[in-house]
Amino acid sequence: MGRPGELKRPVLADGPLKELNTALHELHLDAGLPSLTTMHRDSDKRISRSSLHDAFTSAARPAWDTVDALVEILASRSRRTTPEQELDRFHNLWMDAARSVLAEDPPPPASQNAQAAESGIFWVIATDVVQFSSASDDAQAHMRLRLYHDVAEALDFAGLISSAHTVDRGDGQLNLVPAEQTRIAPVLGFLLHLERLCIDHDLWDTGMKLRVAISRGVLGIGQGGWWGSELIPVSRIVDSQPLRSLSRESGAQLTVAVTEAVHAELSDLKPRGFRPQFHQLRATTKEGHISFWAYQAPPGV
């Protein structure tokens, strides 16, 4: 049995995936070989221990959320580098690895998965549970069940469930939904129904709160995972300190943030029955400053 912090390297052929794995192990060493327990704690328990372990030891390409979290954790512990200095390098390594997996794998039969590799314009919807890491294990299990149920019901209500792609975020989830002709109406239906579910649940539940961030952009989906520059901003927004503070300090069950582009479209459209009070927020991220707009659903009665 190995000592804490010592993670076995997988057997990989020379190429982009091996380069990514080697870079992760080198950054882990430079950070002092923190244990899985330490890295899990430093991620605020957002990334599971198994996902962290697999990022180092599995021959499969890790999810970008996992790599992103590891860069933040390990580079912050290093004496020679910082997360800001490492992020672009690791994102390029991850993108090269994703492209190589798609290039090497033969396309699956259309009867098995017609959408095994597609690219286009997608809505990116990130949903997180507020103060998830501070809840007990039983409470976390209950929150995750409710989160998955409510998001699926809201997507179904909006007619989006059949085309949605979902990945777990630990304390939340990330959904990609094809943006048919860039129509925003289904996304509004999703938000309004999710708001209704949050308020209804608070009548009998403990008042679980949600943060949601929404953007839209050109993305790719394939057997190697998801890729595209729009994945990073929405993750930064939903995890940003200004949005966390807003959702934590108010009585609202739902706090929604949208990018500048989505806010501009909502402002031009002025959809009937949708009159939220938007507030502009700014956050400092690894990539620099980011500006977005947020509103909150009224608290339950």
Side-chain angles (χ1 to χ4, degrees):
M1 183 174 178
R3 289 178 292 179
E6 293 184 351
L7 298 168
K8 186 177 179 180
R9 300 191 185 205
V11 177
L12 292 168
D14 290 341
L17 185 56
K18 185 175 182 178
E19 292 175 7
L20 172 62
N21 184 264
T22 298
L24 279 173
H25 277 277
E26 289 177 349
L27 187 59
H28 184 227
L29 176 62
D30 199 46
L33 297 177
S35 67
L36 287 172
T37 298
T38 297
M39 292 186 286
H40 180 54
R41 183 195 65 214
D42 287 357
S43 75
D44 293 328
K45 300 182 179 180
R46 183 168 63 86
I47 308 297
S48 68
R49 285 171 54 93
S50 61
S51 294
L52 295 171
H53 179 269
D54 289 349
F56 290 100
T57 64
S58 172
R61 182 186 55 78
W64 169 246
D65 265 5
T66 303
V67 175
D68 186 29
L70 283 169
V71 171
E72 173 74 25
I73 294 165
L74 299 176
S76 295
R77 287 176 165 267
S78 170
R79 292 187 176 185
R80 299 190 301 176
T81 189
T82 66
E84 291 76 12
Q85 291 175 303
E86 296 293 338
L87 181 66
D88 286 344
R89 179 170 76 95
F90 273 89
H91 188 252
N92 289 335
L93 287 170
W94 184 88
M95 291 284 286
D96 289 343
R99 293 189 185 102
S100 71
V101 171
L102 288 177
E104 292 169 4
D105 287 347
S111 59
Q112 290 184 12
N113 188 356
Q115 292 184 332
E118 62 175 296
S119 63
I121 300 176
F122 288 84
W123 293 106
V124 186
I125 306 173
T127 309
D128 275 5
V129 177
V130 177
Q131 294 184 310
F132 179 84
S133 61
S134 63
S136 67
D137 289 349
D138 288 343
Q140 287 185 4
H142 174 66
M143 288 175 175
R144 285 175 58 83
L145 286 173
R146 260 202 46 203
L147 172 70
Y148 270 77
H149 175 273
D150 287 2
V151 171
E153 182 175 327
L155 287 170
D156 188 40
F157 175 85
L160 302 172
I161 190 68
S162 62
S163 60
H165 304 265
T166 303
V167 67
D168 189 76
R169 279 175 49 88
D171 59 352
Q173 62 177 237
L174 188 67
N175 288 279
L176 298 192
V177 180
E180 298 178 6
Q181 300 177 352
T182 67
R183 291 172 57 242
I184 200 168
V187 176
L188 287 176
F190 164 79
L191 287 174
L192 291 171
H193 195 68
L194 187 61
E195 174 184 336
R196 183 70 263 165
L197 290 171
C198 287
I199 295 173
D200 286 349
H201 277 309
D202 191 51
L203 297 178
W204 55 267
D205 212 329
T206 57
M208 184 177 90
K209 299 179 182 180
L210 298 180
R211 284 191 312 273
V212 179
I214 298 178
S215 66
R216 185 180 64 212
V218 177
L219 301 171
I221 300 177
Q223 291 177 326
W226 304 355
W227 61 93
S229 59
E230 205 60 31
L231 290 172
I232 296 178
V234 76
S235 296
R236 296 287 183 263
I237 290 172
V238 79
D239 288 332
S240 68
Q241 192 57 50
L243 196 67
R244 285 177 175 272
S245 297
L246 183 64
S247 60
R248 185 173 58 247
E249 294 166 3
S250 77
Q253 271 68 58
L254 182 65
T255 301
V256 178
V258 299
T259 59
E260 292 274 10
V262 175
H263 177 259
E265 184 171 345
L266 286 170
S267 299
D268 292 341
L269 185 63
K270 295 182 174 62
R272 183 178 179 182
F274 186 73
R275 296 290 184 270
Q277 296 295 315
F278 275 105
H279 303 279
Q280 189 173 28
L281 299 175
R282 292 179 175 83
T284 301
T285 72
K286 301 175 207 175
E287 298 80 27
H289 300 291
I290 188 169
S291 176
F292 56 94
W293 296 80
Y295 76 89
Q296 295 187 292
V301 177

